[in-house]
Amino acid sequence: MTMQQTDPRHLSIAYIGGGSRGWAWRLMTDLALEASLAGTVKLYDIDREAAGVNETIGNRLSGRPDVPGKWRYQAVNSLAEALSGADFVVISILPGTFREMRSDVHAPEACGIYQSVGDTTGPGGLIRALRTIPMYVTIAAAIRAHAPDAWVINYTNPMSICTRILYEIFPGVKAFGCCHEVFHTQLLLAQALKECGGVAGAPREAIKINVLGINHFTWLDRASYQTIDLFPLYRQFVEKYFETGYEEEAGRWERDFFASGQRVKFDLFRRYGLIAAAGDRHLAEFLPPWYLKDPETVREWKFSLTPVDYRIDNAKELIAKSRRLASGAEELPLDQTGEEGVRQMKALLGLGDLITNVNLPNRGQLSGVPLGAVVETNALFSRDRVQPVVAGQLPPEIQSLIIRHVYNQEATLRAGLTRDKELAFRAFMNDPLVTVGPADGRKLFDRMLANTAEYLPGWEL
Amino acid sequence: MTMQQTDPRHLSIAYIGGGSRGWAWRLMTDLALEASLAGTVKLYDIDREAAGVNETIGNRLSGRPDVPGKWRYQAVNSLAEALSGADFVVISILPGTFREMRSDVHAPEACGIYQSVGDTTGPGGLIRALRTIPMYVTIAAAIRAHAPDAWVINYTNPMSICTRILYEIFPGVKAFGCCHEVFHTQLLLAQALKECGGVAGAPREAIKINVLGINHFTWLDRASYQTIDLFPLYRQFVEKYFETGYEEEAGRWERDFFASGQRVKFDLFRRYGLIAAAGDRHLAEFLPPWYLKDPETVREWKFSLTPVDYRIDNAKELIAKSRRLASGAEELPLDQTGEEGVRQMKALLGLGDLITNVNLPNRGQLSGVPLGAVVETNALFSRDRVQPVVAGQLPPEIQSLIIRHVYNQEATLRAGLTRDKELAFRAFMNDPLVTVGPADGRKLFDRMLANTAEYLPGWEL
Amino acid sequence: MTMQQTDPRHLSIAYIGGGSRGWAWRLMTDLALEASLAGTVKLYDIDREAAGVNETIGNRLSGRPDVPGKWRYQAVNSLAEALSGADFVVISILPGTFREMRSDVHAPEACGIYQSVGDTTGPGGLIRALRTIPMYVTIAAAIRAHAPDAWVINYTNPMSICTRILYEIFPGVKAFGCCHEVFHTQLLLAQALKECGGVAGAPREAIKINVLGINHFTWLDRASYQTIDLFPLYRQFVEKYFETGYEEEAGRWERDFFASGQRVKFDLFRRYGLIAAAGDRHLAEFLPPWYLKDPETVREWKFSLTPVDYRIDNAKELIAKSRRLASGAEELPLDQTGEEGVRQMKALLGLGDLITNVNLPNRGQLSGVPLGAVVETNALFSRDRVQPVVAGQLPPEIQSLIIRHVYNQEATLRAGLTRDKELAFRAFMNDPLVTVGPADGRKLFDRMLANTAEYLPGWEL
Amino acid sequence: MTMQQTDPRHLSIAYIGGGSRGWAWRLMTDLALEASLAGTVKLYDIDREAAGVNETIGNRLSGRPDVPGKWRYQAVNSLAEALSGADFVVISILPGTFREMRSDVHAPEACGIYQSVGDTTGPGGLIRALRTIPMYVTIAAAIRAHAPDAWVINYTNPMSICTRILYEIFPGVKAFGCCHEVFHTQLLLAQALKECGGVAGAPREAIKINVLGINHFTWLDRASYQTIDLFPLYRQFVEKYFETGYEEEAGRWERDFFASGQRVKFDLFRRYGLIAAAGDRHLAEFLPPWYLKDPETVREWKFSLTPVDYRIDNAKELIAKSRRLASGAEELPLDQTGEEGVRQMKALLGLGDLITNVNLPNRGQLSGVPLGAVVETNALFSRDRVQPVVAGQLPPEIQSLIIRHVYNQEATLRAGLTRDKELAFRAFMNDPLVTVGPADGRKLFDRMLANTAEYLPGWEL
């Protein structure tokens, strides 16, 4: 359906997962920096207290004199309340707790299966997906009931499956999924342009790319800056840094679980000729354990297995920080976050077209992938429209790598929607990281599923 | 294949039909106004003299001190010479002479079949297509041989078939077809915005639209200006002017064969709810003779049947003008022409992205139309890339109107390529304007084909 | 879902339209002649009395000693009762009465629009479709509720739309549409084989054909008998009889409204090179009024406009006949009817494979037609399966003729389902037989719609 | 193009690989048993002597009084000679020698990669494909030149790629690929019918199945015998024999490298619910090394790794046997071989329709697989036509397993056609059996490619 005439100064945004201490603060920051928009952000979270703290943080931010974008933040008690009257819906939730995430990421290690993130694919990503599906079924139904005309931005992983469910439950939904992994690759290309092309200072948005693939396993077959083809420059850059890895800050990948030396990306470029456009930690998980064979191999490729203990410690710090932000003991820095949510909202309101990469059901933009599967390509954002750009087709040897995930995601979705444990196990065994045989695989699967049982309502386990 | 690194200040453009007194002068003007580009334009025409005159006109223009865009114009003697080294190829030819065009347009009148243009569809458009096909086969083969990496811009009608042949003969061609009919509809929407929305001065490019269809029978299902949905305003505008017709300058349609009161467009909007986005003279020809039943009906709908005699007179004036321009007795005015060729070239060189509507083989941008058929939608122009935007699908009742032409164009193309007179006749009888029965149809077809026989080499007539 | 193990001697058939005096008697006859099947036929009809008479006729037939196929016939009072426990569902209903049919067929004549049947396409077919749609919505919902695993055979016209609705309302339905028009063309080919090939006595089933198209506008691109290609023979046959027409019984077309001289079929073969495979009365209605221009033209082509008065008289005779059959004053002759319903049932039960032409949603069997549209091709019938055979693609000039109907049927279906009068009118004007302009068309449409208003529940007329 | 009127008693068959001691003798036997056909078989082989011996064997067979099918066998010296005038072309060649096959099958064992056959997929199948591609390019070009209207039956592995090349090089080819693996599964179903359903003696052809997949990795989603659904019976059968395996002759799998206990097939049925329809030795190779982890695992699953030494010994025996057959010391037994080549020829001549499974480019018969990829489904054979039956779609978890091979075969084909070593390596690493990392994979690939270098003309190795 068509968006009603919307006043950019009286918007209503529903934030599902509104107690978030990452994406929510980023959105607050970008809204604060944008003078052309104003309105209300309704924060909904099953952690009501966290939403309340964010309400305080947000309103405090709006009260700052150096903030041009004035918003009212309001923690609400129900999905319905958040969604009623919403022009935009933002979803960034953590499905389950760190207890479940610990099982997702670390349980497979007993079988020699290592995951660097464990939230998108691999055994951990699959179990996480099963846990997420009933939550998204609820959210999709609520959007259909309370905000059918709103634009919905999803940030939650597993991105493809989350976006796919929204359309499965409510085919009329106006939803897309956003991820910043490709942006980081643009920054890397800007660095190659500087080092190998002698052109410094190219802003990320000026690095023009053609994006093809699925979330966290995206590829570029074209990249340019103004009149310059970036492929030859990237090739030089890769050759220069292939052995050592490339880092802005040397050795950071050893201190920061989220950093890497880009060696996986470089290796994929040398082997396939196209630019893999996600972080090494994500890319490695979509492939056979070429880069994730064991912790030593991971170190050789200069990236990290992100331990859940680290995430737990980090979360504690963030809670402490949230208290400081709420009390005014600390202030959110007013720097552009590099996220595109607010730019996308502006474009959807009619305040200027935008081309950026997003996750959407395939309607023809990516040849060789079934229609309806969620794919990541560029899209044109315009008033009340998001239209994918026809991206072409990946070469067959990369199709072979990607399409098995596309169908496996579909199998996972079906398993989750129908609570079919056997189907879920079939999908589990199809994953390239699951290198154990069916018997050992079964034990691992049963254990991991049991660990997440609390979040699988109605399943017979 | 990929464009080599191209210097925007040392370009080579091949102009096929370089003696043109319309499109060529427009291109010269736009190039003259563009400071960022420079190079050589090679003019090739079977009318060598006309190309020579245009060489003089172009170089004279480049010599003017008020002209920022400096180009060297050079009439050449062969396609090969024009194409060698070309970065861009522009094609705007007149297939045949006014003698053949007179038959295309007026011969059917004896059977009560009236055509307002006769160059795209209808009996005249079909015969013109047959005449054009061998010419484009030659051109496509020459591009493959001499300029396989060049970008090719086609302006010749029938647009869909001309563009389609280029890809049929040389699948690797980097060609698209350009037409300004949609631009005029954007201007009409700007007028509606002004009259019914109170917002004056919106530039054409700021009228954002979603384009779906085939050339000269294109539709818009979305139109907006900034935050404003233009559909409600256009509805008011249509109701206001439905009876009287709308003209910037009252009564102009009675003096100017190319003008109209837009009543066909208004009627289609009232009946279908979408905005038909081409001139009334073109739109009417794709439909059963609802608007072209007889000259009286045409007058009622406030548009004109363009007589070829008028075109002949006009051509004489243009020849005289070309002499004045060559001699310096008259000067080309330095106003933007509103065409997009130069803007497209800039985008293809990497000098800024552009979204505009073009004709391209369907690769997924228009659902419900066979892949490979040439369709008109928006596309993203970027460095060495033209990527269609996924436009969606027309409603079935409009699909029913369009798709018959899509398949009939394919039949016409096959007939032309294989010199199959019977197949050409089948296509002829399928045209919605051909309201006579098979027996009378046959006589008309044979007569029209005979009139164009000179341009059908190798046909058995 | 999968058919349960079914005993061919204890079947249950639901007959919707069970008071029918044509299709029902044919089915009874074929069941009576088939020794391998037995069970119950439940007759449901809104004309309860007619169903009751058929109950008597059927049971009387089963009681005859010369009848090998023993069935119990039972008139029932509701759709639910008929459908509960059904293994097969047969649908042959008359949507509305002769009063509505009279309007469908004859009202357009005032505008110079002539229809030879008026039940499939043309203005009459469209109005009939609108009337049928709510009935089929009810039937489809009842099948979903009461007999989701049953196989459903549709005989009602408009065939494509009726079959399409069943799938639209109940996507899991196991339905197909049957029509004998193609069979008649096989008989004509057998005649050509005899006259021009010297081979007599070829049974219809031995004439092997490839079927492509939509119901009543089907085409053959291959036809053979054993090792013999029938195309050259048919070509001779057509040339022999083109002028005079071909009839088994000379001049019959002048006495029998359902007969023809096959001249339309012959003309289409000469013009297109493929064999049109439906009766001339049906074929003519899908085309511009080449053969239906006026009653004189129809006579020239040696077929008839079937007046509804004739159908009314005929119906009276059939009622009288039904009474005689019920009382035993007359007996149903025990000759194979040439219909395939019982053979199809046998194949679906597992009693031998069958290849025959049926109407099914396109799942890939007919290239160039949208997936989901109901098309007619050969299919393989096997136990609990009907699988279309990949038929290929029609040439573009025939695609152009067919596909406009495909989309127009979709528009008509949408109009019927959403009770959208304006959309119905758009579809009406798209029909090739509607040669009047929009203004006159509107009057005709409004009048015809008003005449059928009783059968358009919930419409705003 | 259309087959000319062909006399079944004067046929010409070209046998490419006519020195074959397996397929050729089978064809001779089946031709000998078929009274309705006669003509000439031209035997072409690069081993001219072997073709000569087969000429003698064939003509001796035709001379036997108990043989109804009389054929003249003639060894010829060139492809052109064999193909000129051919109505049918049979291709069964061995690409390379046992030396290359030894490398294909056994070289990967040094890396812990075990293959049970090594001719279809896995590292060995890929290298074999590369070797086969130039041979099939030659054959396809010769067919286009000398026998463009002939029907071409391929028996060579890798089946999918061989069939694909024929269409790639000569799009008008009338070719299909035949394989008996599915037939063996039908026999297994007949056994299940007997043991669990109490119905003995069902002939293979009466086991009706729906076939979906790619050669050697095909699946059945429907199986029936007359009115009986075979799935429940097969389920019982699988449960009965899952632990022990099923063999007609106990322990045969330990003596016969081509036999198995069907345990892979049973396991796949338990896990996926569909019937995998190829020999266990083939099925295991398409999957991650669930069944091929090491020789012990293979033994557990009761099938064998077929050593090339065994093939070499066997070939020696066959050469000795061929001499005995040629001299008359031994006679070919006159038993139906169970192959379908002759039945297919009869159907193509018009001597009766046939439904059987074959390998063909996807034209819509298998949803979810790209058009053009060679798939295995049922097809209808009729006079001069092979039309696939629309088979439906595999569930996503099986699609995920199959489609990666489909794209990898395409990559292999591209690599072979363009002699692109790097692309071949990418495909190599994509194979599920290649469980080593990129570095070790590279060494293995280089070694295997070097071992087959003689058969890679024009490659830079």
Side-chain angles (χ1 to χ4, degrees), chain A residues 11-51:
Chain A
L11 298 174
S12 178
I13 298 174
Y15 198 117
I16 302 176
S20 141
R21 292 172 202 103
W23 289 104
W25 298 350
R26 288 164 183 247
L27 182 70
M28 287 176 181
T29 307
D30 288 339
L31 287 175
L33 288 166
E34 176 56 53
S36 65
L37 308 182
T40 301
V41 179
K42 296 191 194 159
L43 304 161
Y44 171 74
D45 205 303
I46 51 171
D47 179 348
R48 177 64 175 76
E49 191 188 328

Side-chain angles (χ1 to χ4, degrees), chain B residues 24-204:
Chain B
W25 297 350
R26 289 165 183 246
L27 182 68
M28 288 175 181
T29 307
D30 288 337
L31 287 175
L33 288 165
E34 176 56 54
S36 65
L37 308 182
T40 301
V41 178
K42 296 190 194 160
L43 304 162
Y44 171 73
D45 205 303
I46 52 172
D47 180 347
R48 178 64 175 76
E49 190 188 328
V53 173
N54 274 351
E55 175 186 304
T56 306
I57 295 172
N59 287 329
R60 183 177 286 276
L61 187 63
S62 284
R64 279 165 56 177
D66 56 340
V67 159
K70 300 299 187 189
W71 290 78
R72 194 168 70 89
Y73 289 85
Q74 176 187 0
V76 297
N77 294 314
S78 71
L79 259 180
E81 198 180 339
L83 292 169
S84 297
D87 301 300
F88 296 99
V89 180
V90 174
I91 319 177
S92 81
I93 65 171
L94 178 70
T97 70
F98 288 124
R99 206 176 64 83
E100 287 73 33
M101 197 191 283
R102 188 195 303 277
S103 167
D104 294 350
V105 176
H106 298 299
E109 292 174 356
C111 300
I113 297 171
Y114 296 91
Q115 299 171 93
S116 25
V117 189
D119 71 347
T120 307
T121 187
L126 183 136
I127 300 294
R128 180 185 171 109
L130 295 178
R131 198 159 68 228
T132 311
I133 288 167
M135 302 175 190
Y136 266 68
V137 168
T138 303
I139 292 171
I143 292 170
R144 185 179 49 201
H146 302 293
D149 291 340
W151 279 97
V152 180
I153 308 179
N154 180 63
Y155 289 110
T156 310
N157 284 332
M159 174 61 76
S160 305
I161 289 182
C162 288
T163 308
R164 179 80 182 72
I165 305 169
L166 297 175
Y167 281 90
E168 176 79 11
I169 301 299
F170 174 28
V173 75
K174 291 152 69 172
F176 54 91
C178 287
C179 172
H180 48 208
E181 294 286 319
V182 170
F183 306 164
H184 299 163
T185 309
Q186 286 173 300
L187 294 173
L188 190 66
L189 285 164
Q191 191 61 30
L193 172 64
K194 181 176 153 197
E195 288 205 24
C196 303
V199 178
R204 175 184 75 75

